[in-house]
Amino acid sequence: MTQRGRPRKFDRSIALRQAMDVFWTQGFDCTSMPDLIGAMKINSPSIYAAFGSKEKLFIEAVELYSVTEGEEIWVRMANEPTARLAIEAMLQASAEAYTRPAKPRGCMIVLGALHTEGGNTAIRRGLQAHRAQCMTTIHSRLELGISDGELAKRLDCRAIATFYLTIQQGMSIQARDGASREALLAVVKYAIVAWDSIISGA
């Protein structure tokens, strides 16, 4: 059987990573098709044929980010034996991930779509779902700390998870604004200093 259509003359995985870097740097709403064409080195018909639409390309780029650039944060968190060390590892890994040399700064999932009128609602909601999963991961680790007897049952795990997720997201914005890795690691240090007061209920 003869193959229909012309074969692709580009590596789809490389093109997707190039698109990811553009979206990561500029966000969904501020990224134009000419931006993507310039970065991916392919024309718009090829982009649409391979990925379907700008929205579908962005969704794939977010998934790629999650399993490549962002995964280390949550792996390091999961590998720690206590909730306190898990939170510290998560924040330290975030500081490192947000300031990698030759990479866009900050977190694509935090910065990928602005909450502005006229923006793409489906894209914003998709990123909100990713951030909600981050919240669930932190919350679950705190609840495990209660089950293990490390943390008191009276603690509000949802509030504590919100506090540390807010710090992580703020670090992403600070990184995008030019904060150094050392500055972000200092934020981590003070966030962990607060841990004892939080778990004691002070």
Side-chain angles (χ1 to χ4, degrees), residues 3-197:
Q3 199 173 23
R4 298 184 62 185
R6 301 168 75 180
R8 287 195 190 120
K9 296 181 179 179
F10 64 93
D11 187 315
R12 190 181 189 278
S13 62
I14 292 175
L16 178 58
R17 179 168 285 277
Q18 291 164 333
M20 180 190 77
D21 285 345
V22 177
F23 284 129
W24 187 358
T25 301
Q26 299 180 189
F28 176 82
D29 293 323
C30 292
T31 296
S32 65
M33 284 304 297
D35 293 330
L36 294 168
I37 291 167
M40 300 166 77
K41 304 295 189 292
I42 54 178
N43 59 31
S44 57
S46 294
I47 292 175
Y48 286 116
F51 299 99
S53 66
K54 177 186 169 184
E55 289 82 0
K56 290 178 180 179
L57 174 57
F58 181 82
I59 290 168
E60 279 201 55
V62 169
E63 293 302 324
L64 177 63
Y65 174 88
S66 296
V67 300
T68 55
E69 306 296 336
E71 183 68 14
E72 174 67 15
I73 294 171
W74 307 106
V75 169
R76 283 174 58 178
M77 180 179 178
N79 287 339
E80 294 296 336
T82 67
R84 183 188 186 282
L85 289 174
I87 295 295
E88 184 175 22
M90 180 269 291
L91 293 176
Q92 287 177 339
S94 298
E96 294 164 11
Y98 298 165
T99 56
R100 289 191 184 114
K103 293 281 188 178
R105 295 175 69 85
C107 173
M108 183 180 180
I109 291 171
V110 173
L111 302 170
L114 299 175
H115 290 259
T116 55
E117 186 144 358
N120 188 299
T121 301
I123 292 296
R124 292 203 310 272
R125 287 177 178 169
L127 290 179
Q128 286 174 340
H130 276 278
R131 293 192 290 269
Q133 182 57 52
C134 295
M135 168 70 79
T136 298
T137 300
I138 298 171
H139 183 264
S140 296
R141 185 61 188 85
L142 295 170
E143 288 193 321
L144 179 60
I146 290 176
S147 298
D148 290 345
E150 177 194 356
L151 304 177
K153 292 182 179 179
R154 58 179 170 72
L155 290 177
D156 185 344
C157 290
R158 177 64 56 178
I160 298 170
T162 300
F163 174 74
Y164 281 106
L165 184 62
T166 300
I167 290 173
Q168 185 199 40
Q169 292 173 347
M171 288 166 57
S172 174
I173 296 169
Q174 288 293 311
R176 179 59 58 89
D177 286 347
S180 67
R181 178 171 295 184
E182 292 71 21
L184 296 185
L185 289 173
V187 171
V188 175
K189 181 178 74 173
Y190 289 113
I192 296 305
V193 166
W195 175 267
D196 290 338
S197 294

